[in-house]
Amino acid sequence: MTEFLLVFALAIGLGWPLGRYLAAVMRGEPMRGDRLFLWLERPLYALIGTNPQRGMSWRGYAGAFLISNLILALVVWLILMTQAWLPLNPNGAPNMSWDLALHTMVSFLTNTNQQHYSGQAQLSYLAHMMGIVTLQVITPMMGLALVVATLRGFFGGRNAQARKADGQDQTPVDVGNYWADVIRPTLRFMLPLCLLWSVLLTSQGVPATLDGGPVIAPVDATVEMKEQKIPLGPVSPMVAIKQLGTNGGGWYGPNSSVPLENPTPLSNLLETLAIILVPIAAVFMIEGLTGRRKFTGLVFGTMLAMSVASAGFAIWSEGFSSTSQDIALMEGKEVRFGAEPSALWAALTTQTSNGSVNSMHDSLAPLTGLVTISDMLINAIWGGIGSGLQQFLTYLLLGVFLAGLMTGRTPELFGRKIEAPEVRLLAVLVLLQPLILLGLTAITLAVPGLAGNSNPGFHAVSQVFYEYTSSFANNGSGFEGLSDDSIWWNVTASFVLAAGRYPALIIPLVIAAMLARKRQAPESTGSLQIETPTFALTLIAVIVILTLLQFMPVLVLGPVADHLSLIAR
């Protein structure tokens, strides 16, 4: 409980000033560090061929986002399939097969970091640094850029005043410059923060070296293995960005349950704090961008309420429920951390799109597994950097529309009416999740040999559903126990990863641009008041109904039935 309170207190206390700074970065106004950062930024703008002051319509913005993703995808895919022939490969990592390289590339390109490989054995240092870590730094900032552009659209765009003065409501809405919105926070916010976290983790004993690692003799001389190579590498920089960037993919296969990646109680606290620090800062950023403190309070209060409920239930399930006394539940958990810190990490890593672990989620109590799956289905309890807030805005639009219908008022957000075209786009996002997750789960379970489950019965349902849910939520954690390095899993998971990332980021931007072109009506006593506790509760109800009740059958067949079978023994 102490760590629970400490993590939230530190995250909120540090997140507020970071959020204010991040808002200043995204506004693009002159800053004290311009002398240094402009020296770094200007060559990048020249290389891309863009003027950072020139705005873009939503089409130009989304197009630049997709083009940058395509270029990165091709480069990283090529690196992964040729790493054995490239330098910085002291451990002799082989080339990846096309399907594993495809899944790995899409996974890191979508800020998911779902791993169907073991990093210390199957990736070279070059692939780690030039491919994996590069995507871990850039892709969170892409998500941040998209949500900032969406927020600009909700409030009329950067050219709102000029369009209003000229009376030209059909003039393209300026939602910002994509390249500037990615480069500025990468250089001015994420990289300095990662440098600080990397130094802190290195001080705790996390490796940071380009050496291949020592060869030692096992402690037990009776074993057949006469020597063992300890895999090292530039681990601490990757751990820093994997935690701060809501990435989750670790240097080692077992992630932060490995002592080399998470050696001390302080490193565990730092890594747990880093999971939610930047997503919370992104929420506080809203006030600096929009000037609406109450709206920021609505978003923060709603997310915090869901986060505390989720984390609290997970800790209760692992430490105080009727199943918590079963010694079998300690399998897959680090004894040096214990059940409660493991449960806190599991809850926070699935509330965000982080997905890193300090225990094996397959070994969690069934009800804790229910919490983690539910967190990912919601995907807006903090969520990924930018993407979680973008998903929250989707729920906000749906909540406003439904509340308006229930109260007999015209659904409108910030004085702009939500009409049929916007609702049709929202319906796409609402239907996409169950169609993909339930459809692929049913096929995988129905066709013998596809899943490769290690556990029969109810837990098998949870394993397969968890894998696809994690993919769609761009989370990356897994129940494991699956033969996931197969063509079926690599290809289908790659499809789900992309389907969960791109529509969820682009469609809200389209809706925001559509709303920005509508005339803004002044708010009156007849307007729906969204910046209130009452609407926050309504919004939570909408989220629960849309994301949990529609998946109730599979949740009952999976973790709920698993729990009942456990207590019936």
Side-chain angles (χ1 to χ4, degrees):
M1 185 59 69
T2 301
E3 187 169 2
F4 172 85
L5 296 174
L6 184 59
V7 166
F8 275 96
L10 288 173
I12 295 170
L14 295 173
W16 182 72
L18 283 175
R20 295 189 63 183
Y21 172 72
L22 189 55
V25 170
M26 301 310 292
R27 287 197 303 267
E29 299 173 352
M31 304 179 69
R32 291 182 179 178
D34 281 348
R35 180 175 298 181
L36 169 63
F37 290 116
L38 288 176
W39 179 75
L40 298 171
E41 293 168 4
R42 283 169 179 159
L44 294 175
Y45 295 140
L47 180 64
I48 297 169
T50 186
N51 178 356
Q53 302 304 319
R54 184 181 302 155
M56 296 178 174
S57 66
W58 76 262
R59 288 183 176 86
Y61 205 98
F65 169 59
L66 294 174
I67 289 172
S68 64
N69 276 251
L70 178 61
I71 294 172
L72 287 170
L74 294 175
V75 171
V76 173
W77 196 14
L78 184 62
I79 289 175
L80 294 175
M81 290 191 293
T82 61
Q83 63 177 350
W85 308 323
L86 299 175
L88 290 178
N89 188 14
N91 296 322
N95 294 332
M96 280 190 172
S97 63
W98 72 267
D99 57 297
L100 180 58
L102 173 69
H103 175 267
T104 304
M105 176 271 292
V106 176
S107 176
F108 284 85
L109 186 68
T110 55
N111 193 213
T112 307
N113 293 205
Q114 189 178 57
Q115 294 171 291
H116 289 174
Y117 67 92
S118 188
Q120 76 276 13
Q122 291 177 267
L123 282 183
S124 69
Y125 289 1
L126 181 72
H128 261 125
M129 294 187 294
M130 296 297 293
I132 301 305
V133 175
T134 297
L135 292 180
Q136 286 182 321
V137 172
I138 296 175
T139 57
M141 298 300 95
M142 290 176 172
L144 180 69
L146 266 291
V147 78
V148 168
T150 302
L151 287 170
R152 291 180 185 134
F154 277 142
F155 292 92
R158 295 198 305 183
N159 59 346
Q161 295 299 323
R163 292 170 56 249
K164 184 177 180 180
D166 295 341
Q168 297 176 347
D169 290 335
Q170 299 308 309
T171 302
V173 178
D174 177 4
V175 296
N177 184 289
Y178 168 76
W179 305 109
D181 287 344
V182 172
I183 291 173
R184 284 177 62 86
T186 299
L187 296 178
R188 296 169 183 253
F189 178 80
M190 183 55 74
L191 288 179
L193 193 59
C194 287
L195 178 61
L196 171 62
W197 236 257
S198 178
V199 171
L200 291 174
L201 291 173
T202 303
S203 73
Q204 295 303 299
V206 180
T209 178
L210 292 177
D211 291 339
V215 177
I216 62 172
V219 175
D220 186 356
T222 63
V223 298
E224 295 182 2
M225 182 176 61
K226 300 304 179 184
E227 62 181 26
Q228 180 181 8
K229 185 178 181 64
I230 305 299
L232 301 178
V235 181
S236 65
M238 184 178 183
V239 175
I241 185 56
K242 80 154 185 174
Q243 296 300 94
L244 290 166
T246 61
N247 288 291
W251 187 277
Y252 300 99
N255 213 272
S256 285
S257 63
V258 177
L260 286 172
E261 197 163 308
N262 187 8
T264 68
L266 181 56
S267 71
N268 191 68
L269 175 64
L270 288 170
E271 293 182 29
T272 306
L273 170 62
I275 293 174
I276 59 173
L277 179 59
V278 180
I280 288 179
V283 173
F284 287 124
M285 173 193 71
I286 296 174
E287 181 182 354
L289 286 176
T290 66
R292 299 186 72 119
R293 177 172 296 182
K294 289 185 178 180
F295 179 59
T296 304
L298 167 76
V299 178
F300 176 72
T302 304
M303 288 185 172
L304 181 63
M306 293 189 292
S307 177
V308 170
S310 163
F313 189 81
I315 291 173
W316 170 83
S317 174
E318 289 296 326
F320 304 98
S321 68
S322 58
T323 60
S324 63
Q325 303 305 313
D326 191 337
I327 192 64
L329 290 180
M330 279 304 295
E331 185 270 335
K333 295 185 177 68
E334 278 288 290
V335 178
R336 60 199 175 99
F337 296 143
E340 292 180 38
S342 299
L344 175 62
W345 186 303
L348 296 182
T349 200
T350 49
Q351 290 173 17
T352 65
S353 70
N354 190 288
S356 64
V357 298
N358 69 350
S359 65
M360 296 298 102
H361 285 198
D362 194 45
S363 301
L364 296 173
L367 291 184
T368 313
L370 175 65
V371 170
T372 58
I373 293 175
S374 300
D375 288 343
M376 292 186 294
L377 290 174
I378 293 172
N379 203 24
I381 310 176
W382 311 125
I385 297 175
S387 58
L389 185 53
Q390 194 82 320
Q391 180 67 31
F392 185 90
L393 294 176
T394 299
Y395 289 132
L396 177 68
L397 289 165
L398 288 167
V400 169
F401 176 72
L402 294 174
L405 294 180
M406 289 188 293
T407 58
R409 297 172 177 173
T410 302
E412 60 180 44
L413 182 64
F414 306 127
R416 294 178 170 87
K417 294 181 180 179
I418 301 174
E419 297 174 304
E422 293 83 19
V423 175
R424 281 194 289 267
L425 289 174
L426 289 172
V428 172
L429 292 177
V430 172
L431 295 174
L432 193 63
Q433 186 187 38
L435 288 175
I436 290 178
L437 296 187
L438 297 178
L440 284 174
T441 298
I443 294 171
T444 304
L445 289 171
V447 179
L450 287 184
N453 294 92
S454 63
N455 291 284
F458 302 123
H459 197 68
V461 177
S462 296
Q463 284 180 320
V464 173
F465 185 63
Y466 192 108
E467 186 77 2
Y468 284 126
T469 301
S470 176
S471 300
F472 193 87
N474 294 154
N475 183 270
S477 63
F479 263 9
E480 303 310 326
L482 300 172
S483 300
D484 50 18
D485 184 12
S486 65
I487 292 180
W488 170 259
W489 276 115
N490 286 332
V491 173
T492 58
S494 297
F495 165 73
V496 178
L497 289 164
R501 171 76 168 178
Y502 297 104
L505 284 176
I506 293 174
I507 290 178
L509 174 62
V510 177
I511 295 173
M514 293 168 65
L515 292 176
R517 298 178 68 168
K518 298 182 180 182
R519 291 190 179 276
Q520 184 178 16
E523 294 187 23
S524 64
T525 54
S527 302
L528 178 65
Q529 301 299 313
I530 66 169
E531 297 163 339
T532 63
T534 301
F535 183 78
L537 293 174
T538 303
L539 187 56
I540 292 174
V542 169
I543 292 172
V544 170
I545 292 171
L546 285 178
T547 59
L548 297 185
L549 292 186
Q550 65 181 337
F551 291 103
M552 186 60 70
V554 71
L555 294 176
V556 170
L557 288 173
V560 173
D562 205 8
H563 172 74
L564 293 175
S565 64
L566 187 63
I567 63 176
R569 292 176 185 174

